[in-house]
Structures are given as structure tokens and as C-alpha cells.
Amino acid sequence: MKKILVVLIVIALFFASERSEARKGIMGWIESSHSFTMPAAGEIEVAFSPEEGAEELVVKVIDSSRSEIKMLAYSFTSAPVVEALVRAKKRGVAVSLVANYKSNVSEEGRGKSRAALSTLVNAGCDVRVISVYQIHHDKVIIADRQTVELGSFNYSAAAAHKNSENVLVNWHNSKLAEVYLSHFERNQRQANPYQLQY
């Protein structure tokens, strides 16, 4: 009964006035809570961890890139992933990373994270850290505006060797990549350049 009453109040507020603050608030909520639908495309590849190919699949995506890599990360300590990104940069791929500030920079014991981020900056990659959210929990790679890697897999040794994680790659799906690029660009605008620690 309470739910019906709430719905009726919301509807009444919505129609009370075209210019009312309630209508503007509701319309803003409706416009900001959207999802994206697109046709299935490309090929799907999955892997898991611990020790079931998840980290190797992430490296495969990075090694497949020819022009650009856009990456969103929560935890970032994986030496194989860092090495793959440096290789990509050396072959002329534009590499951009947005990583969670707290879990990679500000917390104690984050020497591996700071070293990984510093390695990428020293290689000429665009590395930024973001702190505007409670947690920047994204784990996504967009390669060449065509391929999207995502899943629970943090780019860390623990994710590769200790945790139960998953990686899903949608190869050759430019529409999906476009949606994730928009999300990446929003977060990149909200992030700050990483300051070298080493």
C-alpha cells in the first residue's frame, strides 16, 4: 500500500507544473538512469582465475592493439599487464589509463601500485588517478575502438593467482566499444594526472 501511495505522490508532483522543481528532478533522474542496447556483434572469449587464463587473456587484448588502448582500473599491480602496456606504447599504441586513487596511491603499502603507475608514465603513457567516487571500481580495456575487455578481474597478481575472477572479451564490437569509450572519457575528465613517485 505504501508503494502505491508513493507512486501516486510522484505522479501528482510530476504533473503539478511543467516548470516545477519536482518535475525537473524526476526528469533528471529518468534521463540519468539509462542503459544501452545494441545488437550482438563480434566474438566472445572468456577466461577465469586463479590460474585459468584470465591474466593471459587481458595481455592478449593489449598485445592485439594497433592504435590505442583506453583502460579503467581499480587495483593495478600486475607486472605482466604493465609489461604488455609498455610493449604497446613502444610499438606506437596510444595508452591511456584511469586508476582508482585510494587503492593505488593513498593507502599504505601501495608501493607496487605506485611503481606500476610510474613505469607507465615513464614509458610515455597518459596515466590519471580518480578520487571523485567512493570507489572507482571499473575494470575495462577498450582496444582500437573495437574490442572491449571487462569482468571482475583486477589488474593484480592476487586476481591472477589467488582470487576467483572472470574476464570477458568482446572482440570486434565497435558499438559496445563506443559506449565504453564514452564512460572512459567521462572518468578521464574527472581524473588528475598521476604524479611520479619514482
Side-chain angles (χ1 to χ4, degrees), residues 21 29 59 73 112 114 120 175 186 196:
E21 288 303 310
W29 176 80
V59 169
K112 286 183 183 179
R114 290 189 290 270
L120 294 181
K175 295 290 185 190
R186 182 204 68 182
L196 280 174

Side-chain angles (χ1 to χ4, degrees), residues 69-138:
I69 294 170
K70 306 285 189 186
M71 187 172 190
L72 298 167
Y74 173 67
S75 178
F76 192 77
T77 61
S78 168
V81 171
V82 171
E83 291 164 5
L85 290 168
V86 170
R87 282 194 307 273
K89 182 64 181 169
K90 286 181 179 176
R91 66 175 184 273
V93 175
V95 176
S96 299
L97 168 70
V98 176
N100 186 54
Y101 176 81
K102 185 176 178 184
S103 62
N104 291 292
V105 179
S106 70
E107 292 180 348
E108 289 296 318
R110 292 298 169 194
K112 286 183 183 179
S113 298
R114 290 189 290 270
L117 298 174
S118 294
T119 298
L120 294 181
V121 170
N122 286 328
C125 302
D126 177 16
V127 178
R128 300 179 191 208
V129 289
I130 186 167
S131 61
V132 297
Y133 301 104
Q134 177 94 20
I135 297 175
H136 179 262
H137 210 235
D138 292 294

Side-chain angles (χ1 to χ4, degrees), residues 41-45 57 60-61 64 146-147 169-173:
E43 184 177 321
I44 302 291
E45 186 172 356
L57 183 52
K60 179 180 176 182
V61 170
S64 77
Q146 293 289 319
T147 295
V169 178
N170 193 166
W171 298 96
H172 312 294
N173 187 338

